[in-house]
Amino acid sequence: MADVLAFTLRRAGFDVLAVYDGGAAAAAWQHAHPHLIILDLNLPHLDGMGLCRIIRSQSDVPIIMLTVRSGDADVVQGLEAGADDYVVKPFSPSQLVARVRAVLRRTDTALLPVELAAGDLRLDRARNEVHRLGLSPVRLTPLETRLLEMLMLHAGQTMTTDALLNAVWAAEGGDRAMLKQLVYRLRSKIEPDPARPTQIETIPGIGYAFVVR
Amino acid sequence: MADVLAFTLRRAGFDVLAVYDGGAAAAAWQHAHPHLIILDLNLPHLDGMGLCRIIRSQSDVPIIMLTVRSGDADVVQGLEAGADDYVVKPFSPSQLVARVRAVLRRTDTALLPVELAAGDLRLDRARNEVHRLGLSPVRLTPLETRLLEMLMLHAGQTMTTDALLNAVWAAEGGDRAMLKQLVYRLRSKIEPDPARPTQIETIPGIGYAFVVR
DNA sequence: TGTGAGGGTTACAAAATGGTAACAGATGGC
DNA sequence: GCCATCTGTTACCATTTTGTAACCCTCACA
């Protein structure tokens, strides 16, 4: 199983280190400093859930869990243990790759510079503030920051609803209503005229796009 | 079995190439560059699982596996080998067609470039907009975009009604009336004179063709 | 000349989408 | 304990998108 995953991910362009039991995983993690960990719940020697807690207690590295069972309890338990996302077996390779990309995309931003600029907006990610040329800074909530972050990061491109849901809510799973609300709230903070948005454009049927002029 | 599948799929509008053993499949795959492969696990000469791995090691083409056994292990093994989906025999033709559509939908158009140009039309798939030389852009609905996408992708060729139904409605299954309507609506948006279509030509009894001049 | 299929047009109904608003639980500071 | 903030939830509305049905015209063909 580990080998197949490694194969699939390498084909998708990732650099992969595969190990075959919990102890080895714990050791490898310390040495390799991976950008992301995929953890099977059923591991020999040291179970995935416990390992997840251990890793999480010492690092923020994103973790994706693999599980055979799809029971709600499992999922909840996994997320509580600190997993960033989970995939239920059986799954298709492309699905896993998609999840990996989504998680990396989401956490990648942790490595981003503190200040993000696009158009005449400047986002201070450390302080959750947006600055607009000359005007006084506006304070954002954590969620609003993550949404704006994604939009500015892909300024000029259309972000699909799904991509944004992934980016902002990750494994917790947001729905369209939540995104709708969040966009509304963000707009009311950063748009000169919220009723006629110029910064965050709606692309009907697809998603939203940050407009640079 | 292969012939039955081929018949079913052709009736659904697909262009099918059937081969009867693993060796022939490997050869055919290289020459034909199919958009999707349906692979029986029980093949003479070279088993499906192995062939799947070989193909997968060299290409991203979507693969659907057929098998008699329904055990979880099998499913996992198949997906591990790189299959995108899995159908257990016996199955109904319509189920298979639905799977094929779903898989194609997931993988096919997603690989397309964002901008598609043909004649003096330019389709922006990210924004659901068509641009015509000099004129202001026209907004399309998601369905209209998918239809125009298919037509432009095969500019100059005649697309059969069935092929278009497949492309646009996929698993949800559209009928002729719906396509008729959609063509009408698309024409009224992109034709200079909708009453005398020049871009989207009707090929009576067969389908439609995108005309490049 | 009648008939029917194919296709265009029109009109309307159903469903989805997106913006707005109000409210409630959770959280955290004071 | 009190208050403000953040977030999720729900409801409402307008608009757009999509599906459905009816009607018409044309053309091939008996």
Side-chain angles (χ1 to χ4, degrees):
Chain A
M1 174 61 118
D3 287 336
V4 174
L5 285 185
F7 174 75
T8 303
L9 288 167
R10 288 206 183 94
R11 195 160 47 80
F14 295 100
D15 183 18
V16 184
L17 170 64
V19 297
Y20 306 92
D21 67 74
W29 161 62
Q30 309 251 7
H31 288 94
H33 299 293
H35 294 121
L36 179 135
I37 295 174
I38 299 175
L39 207 53
D40 198 315
L41 263 186
N42 287 320
L43 288 179
H45 305 320
L46 174 57
D47 90 304
M49 200 71 83
L51 184 54
C52 181
R53 279 184 224 279
I54 292 173
I55 293 176
R56 182 53 80 238
S57 72
Q58 298 172 52
S59 161
D60 275 335
V61 60
I63 299 175
I64 295 180
M65 276 212 177
L66 297 185
T67 173
V68 273
R69 289 161 301 175
S70 64
D72 263 6
D74 270 35
V75 171
V76 171
Q77 214 191 343
L79 296 178
E80 273 172 6
D84 290 82
D85 205 349
Y86 59 87
V87 177
V88 177
K89 290 189 276 191
F91 52 84
S92 72
S94 53
Q95 190 203 343
L96 182 75
V97 172
R99 297 291 189 110
V100 167
R101 292 213 169 104
V103 170
L104 280 181
R105 204 179 321 128
R106 196 175 341 120
T107 55
D108 249 355
T109 61
L111 314 169
L112 244 49
V114 177
E115 284 229 338
L116 241 163
D120 51 359
L121 277 196
R122 212 156 39 80
L123 173 65
D124 184 333
R125 306 191 323 116
R127 320 178 49 136
N128 287 166
E129 283 179 353
V130 248
H131 302 256
R132 214 179 19 227
L133 240 46
L135 301 176
S136 56
V138 182
R139 150 153 291 158
L140 300 183
T141 71
L143 283 190
E144 287 162 1
T145 304
R146 263 199 275 176
L147 174 61
L148 184 55
E149 200 172 280
M150 274 301 132
L151 289 171
M152 289 179 73
L153 211 51
H154 301 88
Q157 303 169 40
T158 304
M159 297 291 286
T160 65
T161 310
D162 284 346
L164 291 174
L165 286 177
N166 252 326
V168 177
W169 282 276
E172 294 94 64
D175 58 26
R176 272 135 209 274
M178 285 157 68
L179 181 59
K180 190 167 62 160
Q181 258 303 323
L182 191 60
V183 168
Y184 176 66
R185 283 165 176 157
L186 181 56
R187 273 178 174 160
S188 66
K189 287 192 182 180
I190 68 168
E191 291 281 0
D193 175 6
R196 220 158 291 88
T198 55
Q199 293 284 0
I200 301 176
E201 187 187 358
T202 302
I203 314 294
I206 303 185
Y208 298 89
F210 187 89
V211 180
V212 277
R213 218 142 334 123
Chain B
M1 174 61 118
D3 288 336
V4 173
L5 285 185
F7 174 76
T8 303
L9 289 167
R10 287 206 183 94
R11 199 158 42 81
F14 295 101
D15 184 18
V16 184
L17 170 65
V19 296
Y20 306 93
D21 66 74
W29 162 61
Q30 308 252 8
H31 288 95
H33 298 292
H35 295 121
L36 179 137
I37 295 174
I38 298 175
L39 207 52
D40 198 314
L41 263 186
N42 287 320
L43 289 179
H45 304 319
L46 175 58
D47 91 302
M49 200 70 84
L51 183 55
C52 181
R53 281 185 221 277
I54 292 173
I55 293 176
R56 182 52 82 236
S57 72
Q58 298 172 52
S59 161
D60 275 334
V61 59
I63 299 175
I64 295 179
M65 274 212 178
L66 297 185
T67 175
V68 274
R69 291 161 302 177
S70 65
D72 259 8
D74 270 34
V75 173
V76 172
Q77 213 191 344
L79 296 178
E80 277 171 6
D84 290 82
D85 204 349
Y86 197 87
V87 177
V88 176
K89 291 187 275 191
F91 53 85
S92 69
S94 55
Q95 192 205 341
L96 182 75
V97 171
R99 297 291 189 110
V100 167
R101 284 183 178 140
V103 170
L104 279 181
R105 180 115 179 253
R106 229 182 307 129
T107 56
D108 216 16
T109 58
L111 309 172
L112 247 49
V114 175
E115 287 232 330
L116 243 163
D120 51 358
L121 278 195
R122 212 156 40 79
L123 174 64
D124 184 337
R125 303 194 322 121
R127 304 177 55 91
N128 286 172
E129 284 178 354
V130 249
H131 302 255
R132 216 179 17 228
L133 241 45
L135 300 176
S136 58
V138 181
R139 282 244 312 272
L140 300 183
T141 71
L143 285 189
E144 287 161 1
T145 304
R146 266 195 273 173
L147 173 60
L148 184 55
E149 199 172 283
M150 276 302 132
L151 289 171
M152 289 179 73
L153 212 51
H154 302 88
Q157 306 166 37
T158 301
M159 298 289 287
T160 66
T161 310
D162 282 346
L164 290 174
L165 285 176
N166 258 322
V168 176
W169 282 275
E172 292 94 63
D175 58 27
R176 274 133 208 269
M178 285 156 69
L179 180 59
K180 188 167 61 159
Q181 258 298 96
L182 190 61
V183 169
Y184 177 68
R185 282 166 176 155
L186 181 56
R187 275 177 173 159
S188 65
K189 286 193 182 180
I190 68 169
E191 292 281 0
D193 176 6
R196 220 156 291 87
T198 55
Q199 293 284 0
I200 301 175
E201 189 184 351
T202 303
I203 314 295
I206 302 185
Y208 298 89
F210 187 89
V211 180
V212 276
R213 216 141 336 123

